[in-house]
mmCIF file of all heavy atoms in Angstrom:
data_model
loop_
_atom_site.group_PDB
_atom_site.id
_atom_site.type_symbol
_atom_site.label_atom_id
_atom_site.label_comp_id
_atom_site.label_asym_id
_atom_site.label_seq_id
_atom_site.Cartn_x
_atom_site.Cartn_y
_atom_site.Cartn_z
ATOM 1 N N THR V 38 49.814 77.329 12.010
ATOM 2 C CA THR V 38 50.245 78.090 10.843
ATOM 3 C C THR V 38 49.174 77.991 9.766
ATOM 4 O O THR V 38 48.475 77.007 9.641
ATOM 5 C CB THR V 38 51.592 77.554 10.304
ATOM 6 O OG1 THR V 38 51.447 76.243 9.806
ATOM 7 C CG2 THR V 38 52.699 77.604 11.358
ATOM 8 N N GLY V 39 49.089 79.083 8.974
ATOM 9 C CA GLY V 39 48.043 79.099 7.946
ATOM 10 C C GLY V 39 46.669 79.016 8.567
ATOM 11 O O GLY V 39 45.760 78.405 7.996
ATOM 12 N N GLY V 40 46.500 79.678 9.689
ATOM 13 C CA GLY V 40 45.244 79.535 10.463
ATOM 14 C C GLY V 40 44.249 80.646 10.210
ATOM 15 O O GLY V 40 43.284 80.801 10.950
ATOM 16 N N THR V 41 44.367 81.320 9.037
ATOM 17 C CA THR V 41 43.489 82.442 8.799
ATOM 18 C C THR V 41 42.227 82.089 7.957
ATOM 19 O O THR V 41 41.361 82.946 7.712
ATOM 20 C CB THR V 41 44.254 83.560 8.040
ATOM 21 O OG1 THR V 41 44.850 82.975 6.914
ATOM 22 C CG2 THR V 41 45.331 84.181 8.906
ATOM 23 N N ALA V 42 42.182 80.852 7.530
ATOM 24 C CA ALA V 42 40.997 80.406 6.725
ATOM 25 C C ALA V 42 40.923 78.899 6.749
ATOM 26 O O ALA V 42 41.868 78.242 7.211
ATOM 27 C CB ALA V 42 41.135 80.885 5.301
ATOM 28 N N GLY V 43 39.818 78.383 6.225
ATOM 29 C CA GLY V 43 39.712 76.973 5.997
ATOM 30 C C GLY V 43 39.769 76.105 7.269
ATOM 31 O O GLY V 43 39.382 76.540 8.357
ATOM 32 N N MET V 44 40.282 74.903 7.065
ATOM 33 C CA MET V 44 40.197 73.904 8.173
ATOM 34 C C MET V 44 41.049 74.324 9.369
ATOM 35 O O MET V 44 40.736 73.968 10.534
ATOM 36 C CB MET V 44 40.648 72.528 7.627
ATOM 37 C CG MET V 44 42.043 72.490 7.111
ATOM 38 S SD MET V 44 42.521 70.875 6.467
ATOM 39 C CE MET V 44 41.841 70.926 4.793
ATOM 40 N N ALA V 45 42.172 75.052 9.135
ATOM 41 C CA ALA V 45 42.983 75.480 10.260
ATOM 42 C C ALA V 45 42.297 76.568 11.099
ATOM 43 O O ALA V 45 42.507 76.600 12.298
ATOM 44 C CB ALA V 45 44.323 75.920 9.766
ATOM 45 N N LEU V 46 41.532 77.437 10.458
ATOM 46 C CA LEU V 46 40.821 78.440 11.219
ATOM 47 C C LEU V 46 39.711 77.785 12.070
ATOM 48 O O LEU V 46 39.550 78.094 13.217
ATOM 49 C CB LEU V 46 40.167 79.498 10.264
ATOM 50 C CG LEU V 46 39.242 80.493 10.904
ATOM 51 C CD1 LEU V 46 39.960 81.284 12.032
ATOM 52 C CD2 LEU V 46 38.710 81.496 9.865
ATOM 53 N N THR V 47 39.011 76.842 11.468
ATOM 54 C CA THR V 47 37.971 76.105 12.242
ATOM 55 C C THR V 47 38.610 75.355 13.412
ATOM 56 O O THR V 47 38.074 75.285 14.520
ATOM 57 C CB THR V 47 37.203 75.166 11.294
ATOM 58 O OG1 THR V 47 36.566 75.953 10.300
ATOM 59 C CG2 THR V 47 36.160 74.325 12.009
ATOM 60 N N THR V 48 39.798 74.774 13.165
ATOM 61 C CA THR V 48 40.531 74.105 14.225
ATOM 62 C C THR V 48 40.955 75.103 15.325
ATOM 63 O O THR V 48 40.833 74.772 16.524
ATOM 64 C CB THR V 48 41.764 73.400 13.639
ATOM 65 O OG1 THR V 48 41.371 72.501 12.632
ATOM 66 C CG2 THR V 48 42.563 72.674 14.709
ATOM 67 N N ALA V 49 41.396 76.267 14.907
ATOM 68 C CA ALA V 49 41.788 77.255 15.881
ATOM 69 C C ALA V 49 40.627 77.650 16.778
ATOM 70 O O ALA V 49 40.758 77.805 18.008
ATOM 71 C CB ALA V 49 42.292 78.493 15.182
ATOM 72 N N LYS V 50 39.424 77.792 16.181
ATOM 73 C CA LYS V 50 38.244 78.115 16.995
ATOM 74 C C LYS V 50 37.917 77.012 17.986
ATOM 75 O O LYS V 50 37.669 77.285 19.130
ATOM 76 C CB LYS V 50 37.055 78.302 16.080
ATOM 77 C CG LYS V 50 37.090 79.592 15.278
ATOM 78 C CD LYS V 50 35.739 79.795 14.566
ATOM 79 C CE LYS V 50 35.957 80.398 13.200
ATOM 80 N NZ LYS V 50 34.854 80.247 12.285
ATOM 81 N N LEU V 51 38.046 75.783 17.527
ATOM 82 C CA LEU V 51 37.702 74.637 18.462
ATOM 83 C C LEU V 51 38.783 74.560 19.569
ATOM 84 O O LEU V 51 38.390 74.347 20.708
ATOM 85 C CB LEU V 51 37.672 73.317 17.672
ATOM 86 C CG LEU V 51 37.339 72.094 18.426
ATOM 87 C CD1 LEU V 51 35.956 72.173 19.109
ATOM 88 C CD2 LEU V 51 37.414 70.826 17.562
ATOM 89 N N PHE V 52 40.010 74.716 19.220
ATOM 90 C CA PHE V 52 41.086 74.683 20.247
ATOM 91 C C PHE V 52 40.858 75.825 21.292
ATOM 92 O O PHE V 52 40.978 75.570 22.494
ATOM 93 C CB PHE V 52 42.423 74.939 19.625
ATOM 94 C CG PHE V 52 43.054 73.728 18.923
ATOM 95 C CD1 PHE V 52 42.329 72.576 18.694
ATOM 96 C CD2 PHE V 52 44.422 73.735 18.497
ATOM 97 C CE1 PHE V 52 42.909 71.448 18.020
ATOM 98 C CE2 PHE V 52 44.977 72.635 17.885
ATOM 99 C CZ PHE V 52 44.210 71.493 17.628
ATOM 100 N N ALA V 53 40.451 76.968 20.777
ATOM 101 C CA ALA V 53 40.183 78.106 21.739
ATOM 102 C C ALA V 53 39.018 77.780 22.659
ATOM 103 O O ALA V 53 39.043 77.989 23.836
ATOM 104 C CB ALA V 53 39.933 79.350 20.985
ATOM 105 N N GLU V 54 37.945 77.189 22.082
ATOM 106 C CA GLU V 54 36.783 76.808 22.892
ATOM 107 C C GLU V 54 37.161 75.727 23.877
ATOM 108 O O GLU V 54 36.566 75.631 24.971
ATOM 109 C CB GLU V 54 35.652 76.226 21.965
ATOM 110 C CG GLU V 54 34.929 77.292 21.189
ATOM 111 C CD GLU V 54 34.162 76.741 19.975
ATOM 112 O OE1 GLU V 54 33.987 75.476 19.924
ATOM 113 O OE2 GLU V 54 33.793 77.518 19.093
ATOM 114 N N GLU V 55 38.166 74.950 23.586
ATOM 115 C CA GLU V 55 38.645 73.889 24.476
ATOM 116 C C GLU V 55 39.710 74.377 25.434
ATOM 117 O O GLU V 55 40.442 73.538 26.069
ATOM 118 C CB GLU V 55 39.148 72.667 23.698
ATOM 119 C CG GLU V 55 38.003 71.907 23.003
ATOM 120 C CD GLU V 55 37.131 71.121 23.940
ATOM 121 O OE1 GLU V 55 37.571 70.828 25.050
ATOM 122 O OE2 GLU V 55 35.966 70.870 23.577
ATOM 123 N N GLY V 56 39.879 75.688 25.577
ATOM 124 C CA GLY V 56 40.697 76.232 26.609
ATOM 125 C C GLY V 56 42.103 76.657 26.199
ATOM 126 O O GLY V 56 42.903 77.140 27.055
ATOM 127 N N ALA V 57 42.468 76.428 24.912
ATOM 128 C CA ALA V 57 43.830 76.785 24.491
ATOM 129 C C ALA V 57 44.007 78.295 24.250
ATOM 130 O O ALA V 57 43.031 78.948 23.830
ATOM 131 C CB ALA V 57 44.185 76.022 23.220
ATOM 132 N N ARG V 58 45.185 78.782 24.506
ATOM 133 C CA ARG V 58 45.574 80.112 24.033
ATOM 134 C C ARG V 58 46.117 79.918 22.654
ATOM 135 O O ARG V 58 47.167 79.286 22.494
ATOM 136 C CB ARG V 58 46.619 80.719 24.945
ATOM 137 C CG ARG V 58 46.133 80.881 26.401
ATOM 138 C CD ARG V 58 47.185 81.538 27.233
ATOM 139 N NE ARG V 58 47.400 82.948 26.922
ATOM 140 C CZ ARG V 58 48.473 83.677 27.270
ATOM 141 N NH1 ARG V 58 49.452 83.096 27.990
ATOM 142 N NH2 ARG V 58 48.550 84.960 26.913
ATOM 143 N N VAL V 59 45.416 80.459 21.667
ATOM 144 C CA VAL V 59 45.760 80.163 20.246
ATOM 145 C C VAL V 59 46.537 81.307 19.585
ATOM 146 O O VAL V 59 46.214 82.496 19.756
ATOM 147 C CB VAL V 59 44.440 79.907 19.465
ATOM 148 C CG1 VAL V 59 44.743 79.751 17.991
ATOM 149 C CG2 VAL V 59 43.766 78.659 20.008
ATOM 150 N N ILE V 60 47.599 80.914 18.883
ATOM 151 C CA ILE V 60 48.408 81.830 18.103
ATOM 152 C C ILE V 60 48.305 81.320 16.629
ATOM 153 O O ILE V 60 48.704 80.200 16.361
ATOM 154 C CB ILE V 60 49.826 81.899 18.508
ATOM 155 C CG1 ILE V 60 49.937 82.282 19.994
ATOM 156 C CG2 ILE V 60 50.662 82.818 17.623
ATOM 157 C CD1 ILE V 60 51.242 82.032 20.622
ATOM 158 N N ILE V 61 47.787 82.181 15.713
ATOM 159 C CA ILE V 61 47.697 81.754 14.316
ATOM 160 C C ILE V 61 48.618 82.587 13.476
ATOM 161 O O ILE V 61 49.002 83.712 13.820
ATOM 162 C CB ILE V 61 46.249 81.877 13.771
ATOM 163 C CG1 ILE V 61 45.760 83.327 13.867
ATOM 164 C CG2 ILE V 61 45.295 80.891 14.483
ATOM 165 C CD1 ILE V 61 44.520 83.563 13.030
ATOM 166 N N THR V 62 48.994 82.006 12.344
ATOM 167 C CA THR V 62 49.819 82.851 11.351
ATOM 168 C C THR V 62 49.132 82.834 9.961
ATOM 169 O O THR V 62 48.316 81.966 9.656
ATOM 170 C CB THR V 62 51.217 82.230 11.180
ATOM 171 O OG1 THR V 62 51.151 81.080 10.300
ATOM 172 C CG2 THR V 62 51.846 81.833 12.505
ATOM 173 N N GLY V 63 49.553 83.765 9.162
ATOM 174 C CA GLY V 63 49.089 83.885 7.783
ATOM 175 C C GLY V 63 49.798 85.055 7.150
ATOM 176 O O GLY V 63 50.405 85.861 7.868
ATOM 177 N N ARG V 64 49.801 85.123 5.820
ATOM 178 C CA ARG V 64 50.589 86.152 5.176
ATOM 179 C C ARG V 64 49.895 87.507 5.110
ATOM 180 O O ARG V 64 50.477 88.517 5.205
ATOM 181 C CB ARG V 64 51.007 85.668 3.751
ATOM 182 C CG ARG V 64 51.920 84.506 3.731
ATOM 183 C CD ARG V 64 52.017 83.870 2.384
ATOM 184 N NE ARG V 64 50.699 83.397 1.928
ATOM 185 C CZ ARG V 64 50.444 82.761 0.818
ATOM 186 N NH1 ARG V 64 51.421 82.510 -0.036
ATOM 187 N NH2 ARG V 64 49.214 82.360 0.525
ATOM 188 N N ARG V 65 48.551 87.437 4.883
ATOM 189 C CA ARG V 65 47.780 88.733 4.708
ATOM 190 C C ARG V 65 47.354 89.263 6.072
ATOM 191 O O ARG V 65 46.582 88.583 6.752
ATOM 192 C CB ARG V 65 46.617 88.485 3.815
ATOM 193 C CG ARG V 65 46.989 88.287 2.336
ATOM 194 C CD ARG V 65 45.823 87.763 1.557
ATOM 195 N NE ARG V 65 45.471 86.405 1.988
ATOM 196 C CZ ARG V 65 44.378 85.747 1.638
ATOM 197 N NH1 ARG V 65 43.499 86.314 0.831
ATOM 198 N NH2 ARG V 65 44.148 84.531 2.061
ATOM 199 N N LYS V 66 47.748 90.488 6.381
ATOM 200 C CA LYS V 66 47.474 91.106 7.704
ATOM 201 C C LYS V 66 45.998 91.258 7.899
ATOM 202 O O LYS V 66 45.477 90.946 8.989
ATOM 203 C CB LYS V 66 48.202 92.469 7.738
ATOM 204 C CG LYS V 66 47.965 93.225 8.993
ATOM 205 C CD LYS V 66 48.872 92.723 10.139
ATOM 206 C CE LYS V 66 48.827 93.594 11.337
ATOM 207 N NZ LYS V 66 47.697 93.431 12.219
ATOM 208 N N GLU V 67 45.289 91.717 6.858
ATOM 209 C CA GLU V 67 43.861 91.977 7.026
ATOM 210 C C GLU V 67 43.105 90.668 7.380
ATOM 211 O O GLU V 67 42.260 90.617 8.230
ATOM 212 C CB GLU V 67 43.321 92.574 5.748
ATOM 213 C CG GLU V 67 42.000 93.285 5.841
ATOM 214 C CD GLU V 67 41.537 93.829 4.506
ATOM 215 O OE1 GLU V 67 42.333 94.517 3.882
ATOM 216 O OE2 GLU V 67 40.467 93.499 4.056
ATOM 217 N N LYS V 68 43.451 89.654 6.616
ATOM 218 C CA LYS V 68 42.825 88.325 6.825
ATOM 219 C C LYS V 68 43.157 87.758 8.199
ATOM 220 O O LYS V 68 42.309 87.170 8.894
ATOM 221 C CB LYS V 68 43.394 87.383 5.768
ATOM 222 C CG LYS V 68 42.651 86.144 5.517
ATOM 223 C CD LYS V 68 41.488 86.268 4.538
ATOM 224 C CE LYS V 68 40.707 84.988 4.544
ATOM 225 N NZ LYS V 68 39.314 85.149 4.600
ATOM 226 N N LEU V 69 44.387 88.036 8.622
ATOM 227 C CA LEU V 69 44.840 87.618 9.955
ATOM 228 C C LEU V 69 44.006 88.286 11.043
ATOM 229 O O LEU V 69 43.538 87.619 11.978
ATOM 230 C CB LEU V 69 46.346 87.925 10.072
ATOM 231 C CG LEU V 69 47.069 87.500 11.341
ATOM 232 C CD1 LEU V 69 47.190 85.970 11.403
ATOM 233 C CD2 LEU V 69 48.436 88.120 11.404
ATOM 234 N N ASP V 70 43.833 89.605 10.892
ATOM 235 C CA ASP V 70 43.099 90.336 11.916
ATOM 236 C C ASP V 70 41.650 89.857 11.959
ATOM 237 O O ASP V 70 41.095 89.736 13.073
ATOM 238 C CB ASP V 70 43.183 91.870 11.616
ATOM 239 C CG ASP V 70 44.594 92.432 11.807
ATOM 240 O OD1 ASP V 70 45.378 91.760 12.437
ATOM 241 O OD2 ASP V 70 44.848 93.518 11.294
ATOM 242 N N GLU V 71 41.082 89.637 10.817
ATOM 243 C CA GLU V 71 39.673 89.123 10.783
ATOM 244 C C GLU V 71 39.588 87.771 11.502
ATOM 245 O O GLU V 71 38.657 87.539 12.280
ATOM 246 C CB GLU V 71 39.235 88.914 9.319
ATOM 247 C CG GLU V 71 38.757 90.099 8.619
ATOM 248 C CD GLU V 71 38.532 89.787 7.070
ATOM 249 O OE1 GLU V 71 38.276 88.610 6.754
ATOM 250 O OE2 GLU V 71 38.750 90.711 6.307
ATOM 251 N N ALA V 72 40.516 86.924 11.237
ATOM 252 C CA ALA V 72 40.495 85.562 11.792
ATOM 253 C C ALA V 72 40.687 85.658 13.326
ATOM 254 O O ALA V 72 39.991 84.910 14.057
ATOM 255 C CB ALA V 72 41.596 84.727 11.144
ATOM 256 N N VAL V 73 41.596 86.488 13.772
ATOM 257 C CA VAL V 73 41.823 86.598 15.188
ATOM 258 C C VAL V 73 40.549 87.059 15.912
ATOM 259 O O VAL V 73 40.134 86.511 16.959
ATOM 260 C CB VAL V 73 42.983 87.579 15.481
ATOM 261 C CG1 VAL V 73 43.006 88.036 16.950
ATOM 262 C CG2 VAL V 73 44.327 86.992 15.106
ATOM 263 N N ALA V 74 39.828 88.052 15.288
ATOM 264 C CA ALA V 74 38.600 88.512 15.862
ATOM 265 C C ALA V 74 37.518 87.395 15.884
ATOM 266 O O ALA V 74 36.758 87.240 16.812
ATOM 267 C CB ALA V 74 38.097 89.723 15.047
ATOM 268 N N GLU V 75 37.511 86.590 14.826
ATOM 269 C CA GLU V 75 36.561 85.516 14.690
ATOM 270 C C GLU V 75 36.810 84.420 15.788
ATOM 271 O O GLU V 75 35.845 83.826 16.280
ATOM 272 C CB GLU V 75 36.664 84.898 13.304
ATOM 273 C CG GLU V 75 35.416 84.224 12.820
ATOM 274 C CD GLU V 75 35.606 83.770 11.368
ATOM 275 O OE1 GLU V 75 36.230 84.458 10.548
ATOM 276 O OE2 GLU V 75 35.142 82.621 11.085
ATOM 277 N N ILE V 76 38.043 84.127 16.033
ATOM 278 C CA ILE V 76 38.381 83.122 17.029
ATOM 279 C C ILE V 76 38.018 83.594 18.402
ATOM 280 O O ILE V 76 37.504 82.868 19.249
ATOM 281 C CB ILE V 76 39.873 82.716 16.961
ATOM 282 C CG1 ILE V 76 40.223 82.174 15.605
ATOM 283 C CG2 ILE V 76 40.246 81.769 18.066
ATOM 284 C CD1 ILE V 76 41.755 82.134 15.305
ATOM 285 N N GLY V 77 38.290 84.893 18.683
ATOM 286 C CA GLY V 77 38.035 85.432 20.033
ATOM 287 C C GLY V 77 38.866 84.776 21.085
ATOM 288 O O GLY V 77 40.056 84.361 20.778
ATOM 289 N N HIS V 78 38.427 84.646 22.271
ATOM 290 C CA HIS V 78 39.129 83.936 23.383
ATOM 291 C C HIS V 78 40.620 84.407 23.472
ATOM 292 O O HIS V 78 41.518 83.587 23.714
ATOM 293 C CB HIS V 78 39.141 82.420 23.131
ATOM 294 C CG HIS V 78 37.832 81.760 23.207
ATOM 295 N ND1 HIS V 78 37.241 81.351 24.365
ATOM 296 C CD2 HIS V 78 36.934 81.448 22.204
ATOM 297 C CE1 HIS V 78 36.064 80.812 24.119
ATOM 298 N NE2 HIS V 78 35.800 80.875 22.827
ATOM 299 N N ASP V 79 40.831 85.721 23.242
ATOM 300 C CA ASP V 79 42.201 86.250 23.402
ATOM 301 C C ASP V 79 43.213 85.669 22.473
ATOM 302 O O ASP V 79 44.425 85.520 22.804
ATOM 303 C CB ASP V 79 42.630 86.013 24.902
ATOM 304 C CG ASP V 79 43.579 87.107 25.370
ATOM 305 O OD1 ASP V 79 43.582 88.158 24.726
ATOM 306 O OD2 ASP V 79 44.277 86.853 26.341
ATOM 307 N N ALA V 80 42.779 85.271 21.295
ATOM 308 C CA ALA V 80 43.669 84.694 20.294
ATOM 309 C C ALA V 80 44.641 85.784 19.807
ATOM 310 O O ALA V 80 44.399 86.971 19.893
ATOM 311 C CB ALA V 80 42.891 84.185 19.085
ATOM 312 N N THR V 81 45.774 85.310 19.314
ATOM 313 C CA THR V 81 46.830 86.229 18.806
ATOM 314 C C THR V 81 47.169 85.859 17.371
ATOM 315 O O THR V 81 47.138 84.692 16.992
ATOM 316 C CB THR V 81 48.128 86.049 19.670
ATOM 317 O OG1 THR V 81 47.770 86.309 21.012
ATOM 318 C CG2 THR V 81 49.229 86.985 19.186
ATOM 319 N N GLY V 82 47.491 86.875 16.556
ATOM 320 C CA GLY V 82 47.932 86.611 15.168
ATOM 321 C C GLY V 82 49.339 87.097 14.964
ATOM 322 O O GLY V 82 49.720 88.170 15.469
ATOM 323 N N VAL V 83 50.121 86.348 14.180
ATOM 324 C CA VAL V 83 51.488 86.747 13.829
ATOM 325 C C VAL V 83 51.574 86.639 12.318
ATOM 326 O O VAL V 83 51.472 85.519 11.762
ATOM 327 C CB VAL V 83 52.538 85.875 14.540
ATOM 328 C CG1 VAL V 83 53.938 86.348 14.125
ATOM 329 C CG2 VAL V 83 52.403 85.830 16.027
ATOM 330 N N GLN V 84 51.704 87.785 11.723
ATOM 331 C CA GLN V 84 51.834 87.768 10.248
ATOM 332 C C GLN V 84 53.130 87.150 9.776
ATOM 333 O O GLN V 84 54.190 87.385 10.360
ATOM 334 C CB GLN V 84 51.787 89.222 9.742
ATOM 335 C CG GLN V 84 51.700 89.344 8.243
ATOM 336 C CD GLN V 84 51.787 90.792 7.773
ATOM 337 O OE1 GLN V 84 52.077 91.735 8.538
ATOM 338 N NE2 GLN V 84 51.563 91.004 6.513
ATOM 339 N N GLY V 85 53.028 86.316 8.727
ATOM 340 C CA GLY V 85 54.258 85.762 8.240
ATOM 341 C C GLY V 85 54.020 84.618 7.233
ATOM 342 O O GLY V 85 52.915 83.974 7.231
ATOM 343 N N ASP V 86 55.047 84.339 6.451
ATOM 344 C CA ASP V 86 55.046 83.287 5.465
ATOM 345 C C ASP V 86 55.900 82.155 5.989
ATOM 346 O O ASP V 86 57.108 82.410 6.311
ATOM 347 C CB ASP V 86 55.599 83.857 4.207
ATOM 348 C CG ASP V 86 55.593 82.863 3.012
ATOM 349 O OD1 ASP V 86 55.628 81.646 3.256
ATOM 350 O OD2 ASP V 86 55.564 83.323 1.841
ATOM 351 N N VAL V 87 55.414 80.914 6.068
ATOM 352 C CA VAL V 87 56.219 79.858 6.645
ATOM 353 C C VAL V 87 57.446 79.528 5.830
ATOM 354 O O VAL V 87 58.370 78.865 6.287
ATOM 355 C CB VAL V 87 55.412 78.527 6.877
ATOM 356 C CG1 VAL V 87 54.315 78.786 7.931
ATOM 357 C CG2 VAL V 87 54.893 77.958 5.619
ATOM 358 N N SER V 88 57.460 79.944 4.554
ATOM 359 C CA SER V 88 58.679 79.684 3.727
ATOM 360 C C SER V 88 59.754 80.715 3.904
ATOM 361 O O SER V 88 60.809 80.597 3.309
ATOM 362 C CB SER V 88 58.275 79.519 2.280
ATOM 363 O OG SER V 88 57.838 80.815 1.787
#
Side-chain angles (χ1 to χ4, degrees):
T38 65
T41 53
M44 62 182 83
L46 174 57
T47 298
T48 301
K50 287 189 218 161
L51 182 60
F52 282 10
E54 284 160 17
E55 289 290 336
R58 300 182 70 196
V59 172
I60 301 164
I61 60 165
T62 79
R64 294 166 301 183
R65 287 165 295 168
K66 178 81 171 79
E67 197 182 306
K68 194 87 187 135
L69 184 69
D70 292 344
E71 276 172 30
V73 165
E75 205 176 320
I76 298 164
H78 294 275
D79 210 18
T81 302
V83 181
Q84 186 185 10
D86 182 335
V87 297
S88 67

